[in-house]
Amino acid sequence: MWDSFYAIFKISLKAIFANKMRAALTSLGIIIGVSAVITVLAVGAATKKSITDRFSNMGTNILFLRQPWDLDDSISSPKNVTMDDVLAIRELEGVDAAAPYIQASFDVKYRNTSVALSALATDTNILKAYDWTVERGREFTEREVSNYAQVMMLGATSAQTIFGDVDPLNKTVVLNNIPFTVVGVMKKTGSSGFGFNIDEGALIPYTTGKVKLDVSGWNSKDRRALDRVVIKVADFDRIENMKVDIANTVRNTHRIHPLGKDDFQLDDMASFVEQAKGTATTISLFLGVIGAISLLVGGIGVMNIMLVSVTERTREIGIRMAIGATSWNIRMQFLGEAVTLSCLGGLVGILLGVGITLFVSKYMSLQAHLSVWAVLVSAGFSAATGVFFGFYPAYKASKLTPIDALRYE
């Protein structure tokens, strides 16, 4: 049996390499499809892991209070999230920290250097919430926050970018033509706080940001509005109970009727992780569908070229039948050619997919790991494509009669 398969394989390779360019163009769809499947699975898995790690670094006991992005029309006069909510939440037992959060972008200037960076208008509770620490210098004080002081804490990377080898402490930088004194440099964390990377950003007092830089929260019409409140609870096991207590507290500060609807939203890290992973999965599925379509197009190309091959080699089929080849032999010959062509395309696609994955891992800061399962699935798909789309041309060839085949010109 193995001798028979080996003979079919040799005949298939001879037929394929007799028309190299045609075979290469025919297998192009399979090459693209297989490489796309491998790359999508590897990058998709890496993206999910990156998302999970990023959110895990922020802490599973973090909650976010914000105004919903799609407010219900039945809420007649919704209130924004403000410092009143922050102060009320801080009074709750079981809350380790509650910090205001308003994010804005600025051009920071120092002498002849101008750097665009993201600044977070907040107070020092944000350090406790995210476990950020000051490596050099100090935090800004409560008095500086109350007095709208023009002080700043820089992230480690942004300090290096702006000042180079110069010590940034007590140096003056300019934001929107307003001078700020650098009082501290943050320790490098390598993680972000929900869209804000402290390493590449800066922290300023929220009061200064509101009054002197005119940074606006979710609702720019309300100068008191915050983007959100970052809340750290002491005990993760009680996080659901804390969500209830925090919600009741905010309902009180917003003066919501006991039967009224909430005009705010309280999210935990788990919901953000699931949303982000769901988005990554959707994108991966979409790209996977594109790869599947490429395989389908490649399979149609294989069927088309095999039908052409049957027509071109009708006399050959007649001669083989005349000297004793059975319909099964003819069917296996052409089916073997289709499978061999598809598998060769699949092999090239696997190599291309591996190459793209390694490129992404090296140059795009995404640790995409190759999956043996993904390679095996891709190889199986390419072989299955050859069988599925090669069966009809092989069946058609096997149904030719020797006399008709020998008469064919």
Side-chain angles (χ1 to χ4, degrees), residues 42-210:
V43 174
T47 302
K48 287 183 183 180
K49 186 177 185 303
S50 175
I51 290 170
T52 303
D53 292 345
R54 184 177 301 175
F55 281 103
S56 296
N57 289 337
M58 292 166 58
T60 53
N61 56 343
I62 297 291
L63 298 173
F64 299 99
L65 174 69
R66 61 177 175 83
Q67 192 175 73
W69 290 306
D70 50 347
L71 275 173
D72 194 325
D73 292 337
S74 63
I75 301 175
S76 57
S77 55
K79 292 182 174 60
N80 292 295
V81 175
T82 66
M83 279 302 297
D84 291 339
D85 300 310
V86 176
L87 297 175
I89 292 169
R90 285 177 182 172
E91 296 298 320
L92 291 174
E93 184 179 354
V95 172
D96 271 356
Y101 184 113
I102 310 173
Q103 189 172 340
S105 296
F106 298 99
D107 285 331
V108 178
K109 299 179 181 179
Y110 174 72
R111 294 182 178 175
N112 296 325
T113 302
S114 179
V115 177
L117 58 76
S118 184
L120 193 62
T122 182
D123 63 18
T124 53
N125 274 264
I126 199 71
L127 306 185
K128 189 173 183 181
Y130 283 137
D131 294 324
W132 291 340
T133 56
V134 178
E135 187 173 47
R136 288 181 286 164
R138 61 175 178 84
E139 307 172 5
F140 38 72
T141 64
E142 291 185 9
R143 184 170 183 177
E144 287 172 329
V145 174
S146 301
N147 293 338
Y148 313 95
Q150 294 162 203
V151 292
M152 171 189 293
M153 291 184 283
L154 278 174
T157 304
S158 55
Q160 178 66 32
T161 303
I162 296 170
F163 292 97
D165 296 330
V166 177
D167 184 3
L169 294 181
N170 300 317
K171 297 294 188 301
T172 299
V173 297
V174 177
L175 275 70
N176 286 10
N177 297 320
I178 297 176
F180 277 75
T181 301
V182 178
V183 297
V185 177
M186 305 300 297
K187 184 178 180 180
K188 194 165 187 175
T189 65
S191 63
S192 60
F194 193 73
F196 177 79
N197 189 339
I198 181 59
D199 293 341
E200 300 176 357
L203 303 179
I204 60 174
Y206 75 91
T207 50
T208 311
K210 278 285 188 185

Side-chain angles (χ1 to χ4, degrees), residues 139-363:
E139 307 172 5
F140 38 72
T141 64
E142 291 185 9
R143 184 170 183 177
E144 287 172 329
V145 174
S146 301
N147 293 338
Y148 313 95
Q150 294 162 203
V151 292
M152 171 189 293
M153 291 184 283
L154 278 174
T157 304
S158 55
Q160 178 66 32
T161 303
I162 296 170
F163 292 97
D165 296 330
V166 177
D167 184 3
L169 294 181
N170 300 317
K171 297 294 188 301
T172 299
V173 297
V174 177
L175 275 70
N176 286 10
N177 297 320
I178 297 176
F180 277 75
T181 301
V182 178
V183 297
V185 177
M186 305 300 297
K187 184 178 180 180
K188 194 165 187 175
T189 65
S191 63
S192 60
F194 193 73
F196 177 79
N197 189 339
I198 181 59
D199 293 341
E200 300 176 357
L203 303 179
I204 60 174
Y206 75 91
T207 50
T208 311
K210 278 285 188 185
V211 174
K212 297 185 178 181
L213 295 176
D214 198 29
V215 296
S216 57
W218 188 87
N219 187 344
S220 59
K221 296 179 182 178
D222 185 355
R223 292 183 62 86
R224 300 173 67 243
L226 306 174
D227 284 344
R228 62 179 63 90
V229 179
V230 180
I231 306 163
K232 182 179 182 180
V233 301
D235 188 358
F236 173 75
D237 294 333
R238 294 191 63 249
I239 196 165
E240 292 301 322
N241 293 333
M242 290 304 305
K243 287 172 72 173
V244 174
D245 293 343
I246 292 169
N248 290 334
T249 299
V250 177
R251 286 177 65 87
N252 288 334
T253 59
H254 287 200
R255 301 182 186 277
I256 299 174
H257 189 274
L259 299 179
K261 293 183 178 180
D262 293 342
D263 60 358
F264 59 89
Q265 186 163 326
L266 194 60
D267 300 307
D268 57 28
M269 291 307 304
S271 64
F272 283 114
V273 170
E274 291 306 314
Q275 290 175 16
K277 288 171 70 176
T279 301
T281 300
T282 300
I283 294 173
S284 295
L285 286 174
F286 175 74
L287 295 175
V289 167
I290 295 176
I293 292 173
S294 297
L295 279 174
L296 177 63
V297 172
I300 294 172
V302 170
M303 178 184 285
N304 180 57
I305 209 65
M306 291 308 299
L307 287 172
V308 172
S309 181
V310 169
T311 302
E312 290 178 344
R313 296 159 63 189
T314 301
R315 286 184 60 83
E316 176 192 328
I317 295 170
I319 293 171
R320 286 175 59 81
M321 285 184 166
I323 61 176
T326 64
S327 295
W328 172 258
N329 297 139
I330 299 300
R331 189 178 305 170
M332 290 304 296
Q333 175 188 342
F334 282 91
L335 187 59
E337 286 185 27
V339 172
T340 302
L341 183 60
S342 297
C343 288
L344 287 175
L347 178 61
V348 176
I350 289 171
L351 295 175
L352 181 61
V354 170
I356 294 173
T357 302
L358 294 176
F359 177 84
V360 169
S361 298
K362 185 173 182 179
Y363 295 104

